[in-house]
Amino acid sequence: MTTPSTRYAQFKLVLLGESAVGKSSLVHRFVKDSFDEYRESTIGAAFLTQTVNVDENTTVKFEIWDTAGQERYKSLAPMYYRNANCAVVVYDITQAASLDRAKAWVKELQRQANESIVIALAGNKLDLESDREVDTSVAQSYADEAGLLFYETSAKSGENVLELFTGIAKKLPIDA
Ligand code: GDP
């Protein structure tokens, strides 16, 4: 009997996006599998780790930097994305303006971050479908054009959250 070879790799991931789109809630859902309506907002940045199994032989560990979205912390962002292997840029599907902000972050990452950075766009608050302002097809077309992975997620229900992080993990360079 042969033992399957196991592969393990560690990557730095940064979350960016306007304040209150649900960055911390997405991380919380991913890391703790829970949602807390009343958690305090992030000051500066928070650091957490979580692993995902890409397939039965491959495990990816994410070192997650959850940045604060407030304007006053904006100048700190380069410190977090500079050495990042991957980024999740989050908007809120019920706030059209938050997609504009997300696009600006993508532009900044594509200009200033590591050339090989894997970027995913996440349209969060998918559970608030009745308040939707951003059509899925509009965001999908933009993501395709810009070369981004794209997921609509709900940190509240958990829908697509693991899929988002697993999707990123699958795009990362893991040595055999
Ligand atoms: P951040 O500032 O981007 O980190 O956003 P937070 O994670 O602090 O979330 C901002 C607000 O949106 C909080 O009141 C959260 O409870 C709420 N929120 C976050 N994600 C979701 C979601 O998927 N659905 C709903 N309905 N509310 C969410």
Side-chain angles (χ1 to χ4, degrees):
M1 221 171 80
T2 55
T3 321
S5 61
T6 52
R7 302 188 301 163
Y8 175 84
Q10 200 164 304
F11 297 98
K12 188 176 160 188
L13 182 147
V14 66
L15 277 104
L16 296 164
E18 196 172 312
S19 183
V21 293
K23 297 180 295 300
S24 300
S25 299
L26 278 172
V27 174
H28 207 74
R29 169 61 70 189
F30 176 50
V31 173
K32 308 244 166 71
D33 197 19
S34 66
F35 178 78
D36 175 3
E37 202 101 33
Y38 304 105
R39 240 160 12 78
E40 283 170 25
S41 63
T42 310
I43 296 167
F47 177 74
L48 287 143
T49 63
Q50 177 62 300
T51 56
V52 289
N53 296 320
V54 177
D55 57 45
E56 53 187 14
N57 305 325
T58 314
T59 301
V60 162
K61 180 179 180 181
F62 286 114
E63 299 177 349
I64 306 167
W65 290 92
D66 173 22
T67 66
Q70 290 97 329
E71 202 54 34
R72 66 179 178 278
Y73 297 118
K74 195 176 172 294
S75 60
L76 297 178
M79 211 161 74
Y80 299 104
Y81 66 64
R82 195 163 292 139
N83 301 315
N85 305 101
C86 41
V88 179
V89 180
V90 186
Y91 70 95
D92 172 349
I93 67 156
T94 73
Q95 303 288 337
S98 70
L99 179 60
D100 296 332
R101 189 69 197 94
K103 289 180 181 177
W105 278 120
V106 169
K107 225 180 218 174
E108 182 168 336
L109 287 172
Q110 290 180 333
R111 282 196 194 136
Q112 323 247 33
N114 202 319
E115 222 174 278
S116 60
I117 192 168
V118 173
I119 307 174
L121 178 69
N124 191 42
K125 308 199 184 178
L126 185 54
D127 57 288
L128 301 178
E129 186 59 56
S130 55
D131 299 324
R132 180 191 282 276
E133 284 187 9
V134 180
D135 284 344
T136 305
S137 59
V138 169
Q140 181 74 66
S141 309
Y142 160 68
D144 291 346
E145 249 169 61
L148 317 172
L149 293 169
F150 173 61
Y151 293 88
E152 286 187 334
T153 58
S154 170
K156 187 168 184 175
S157 74
E159 188 171 358
N160 265 343
V161 176
L162 191 56
E163 287 81 354
L164 162 70
F165 288 95
T166 308
I168 295 168
K170 285 184 174 159
K171 289 279 177 188
L172 291 165
I174 303 163
D175 296 333

